[in-house]
Amino acid sequence: MREIVAKKYVKALILALDADEFNRVSDEISKLAAAFGLDKFNYIIDSPIIDAKSKVEFLLTLVNDNKNEKLANFLMLLSHRGRLHLIPEIAREFEYQKALRDGKFKGLISGNIELSEAQKSELEQKFSKKFDVNVEFQTVKSEFNGIKIEIDDLGVEVSFSIDRLKAQMSEYILKVI
């Protein structure tokens, strides 16, 4: 539900921004979203003693582009509506909209198989060609016995499990015998 509300706010804000402002506001909202991981920050945002205007002024001190009137008005709107806690979802939606606009998506390759830089690059090229976008992968070592490729923003997940392959081969051999 929070994501749906965040999408509406982002859509309205994007309509008011030009390309340069879009990048700046996206970066600033990402900085604000990171602050929500701090307990003291959340205490200030949740405090009923602090008025909406003071909360917005506090948020604007945390960003570099604190003179941006559109960002200030947007934060004031969120504050008056009691929706400052949507900022992390708004930041994720901004990242998604930025990826759509630029055609650049980030993916994740995980598993216990070690990939060389050439193999990673080849996977990036093939997925980029398949989806007609620019895909960049990050590799993460995990306990998964195989390899798993995820591109969340495109809704893509591909996996190859060595354990499953062994089970299917055993099943096939038993059927043949």
Side-chain angles (χ1 to χ4, degrees), residues 147-164:
I147 189 166
K148 183 186 280 188
I149 300 172
E150 298 173 274
I151 310 171
D152 287 335
D153 289 340
L154 292 176
V156 175
E157 182 177 318
V158 180
S159 65
F160 176 77
S161 171
I162 294 174
D163 295 333
R164 185 167 181 212

Side-chain angles (χ1 to χ4, degrees), residues 32 56 59-60 71-79 84 87:
L32 292 176
V56 171
L59 290 173
L60 289 173
L71 178 61
N73 289 338
F74 180 70
L75 292 174
M76 186 61 79
L77 174 69
L78 289 177
S79 183
L84 287 174
I87 290 177

